[in-house]
Amino acid sequence: MSIVSIVGFPGRIRRLYEEYMLITLAVSLHACNQGLRFQLIPSAEKYPLEDLLGECRDYVNITGRRVTFEYILLAEVNDRPEHAVELAQELRGFQTHVNLIPYNPISEVDYQRPSRQRVEGFTQQLKDKGIAVSVRYTRGQTQALPVYQTESI
């Protein structure tokens, strides 16, 4: 079984299920709404979130397989409680899993890693709304940053 990780291009998910490919689909989402997604992923302008999620719902309905959504948590950008609530609303009603990835800072980009409390709060908000969620382990860092253990519901 292969994993296919995509940002999302119109019709590509449809092509995967039309060709009956037995894969695990991982979608790089990183945002709970179109405006924020476009800010983080400029190519998202060509593929509205509503359309992307519609194709993901079709994928689940046709293949019976869940979709994993990758979501990098960026401090004060997409990690607020209201973002978690909005994300849960968008993912309600079909089989999904959210893989939260606390951002690993690099010198070339100004984004920051959210605090452990923000990560735990975001995770709990999703769980409270019935969304399967895990937090990816932190690996390969040279700085002493908090380590998050993977946990699923």
Side-chain angles (χ1 to χ4, degrees):
M1 188 78 53
S2 299
I3 296 174
V4 174
S5 182
I6 64 170
V7 172
F9 294 101
R12 298 295 169 96
I13 296 170
R14 182 175 298 112
R15 188 169 159 204
L16 293 173
Y17 65 72
E18 285 175 347
E19 294 181 13
Y20 302 105
M21 298 179 114
L22 292 177
I23 60 164
T24 299
L25 182 61
V27 177
S28 296
L29 196 60
H30 310 310
C32 56
N33 61 58
Q34 180 64 20
L36 184 55
R37 190 160 193 268
F38 174 64
Q39 177 186 338
L40 298 173
I41 307 169
S43 65
E45 178 183 39
K46 297 176 183 171
Y47 197 26
L49 184 60
E50 181 179 324
D51 295 346
L52 172 62
L53 294 177
E55 277 195 54
C56 289
R57 282 184 173 85
D58 291 344
Y59 177 86
V60 170
N61 290 334
I62 290 168
T63 66
R65 302 181 61 77
R66 76 177 183 186
V67 175
T68 297
F69 291 101
E70 307 289 335
Y71 193 102
I72 294 176
L73 285 168
L74 304 166
E76 300 297 327
V77 175
N78 67 352
D79 69 335
R80 297 184 186 123
E82 58 268 24
H83 293 137
V85 170
E86 190 173 359
L87 179 62
Q89 289 170 344
E90 291 291 345
L91 300 182
R92 184 177 49 220
F94 71 110
Q95 189 180 9
T96 64
H97 180 265
V98 175
N99 186 17
L100 295 176
I101 307 162
Y103 177 71
N104 290 322
I106 58 174
S107 59
E108 296 84 11
V109 181
D110 289 334
Y111 293 125
Q112 297 298 312
R113 182 184 193 88
S115 69
R116 185 179 187 107
Q117 288 99 345
R118 289 292 276 254
V119 173
E120 290 172 356
F122 199 97
T123 303
Q124 192 59 52
Q125 286 276 353
L126 292 176
K127 286 181 180 181
D128 290 348
K129 302 289 185 199
I131 302 297
V133 60
S134 60
V135 178
R136 185 178 294 178
Y137 285 99
T138 300
R139 293 190 174 109
Q141 291 186 323
T142 56
Q143 301 174 8
L145 293 172
V147 174
Y148 303 101
Q149 295 192 353
T150 299
E151 168 186 320
S152 296
I153 62 167

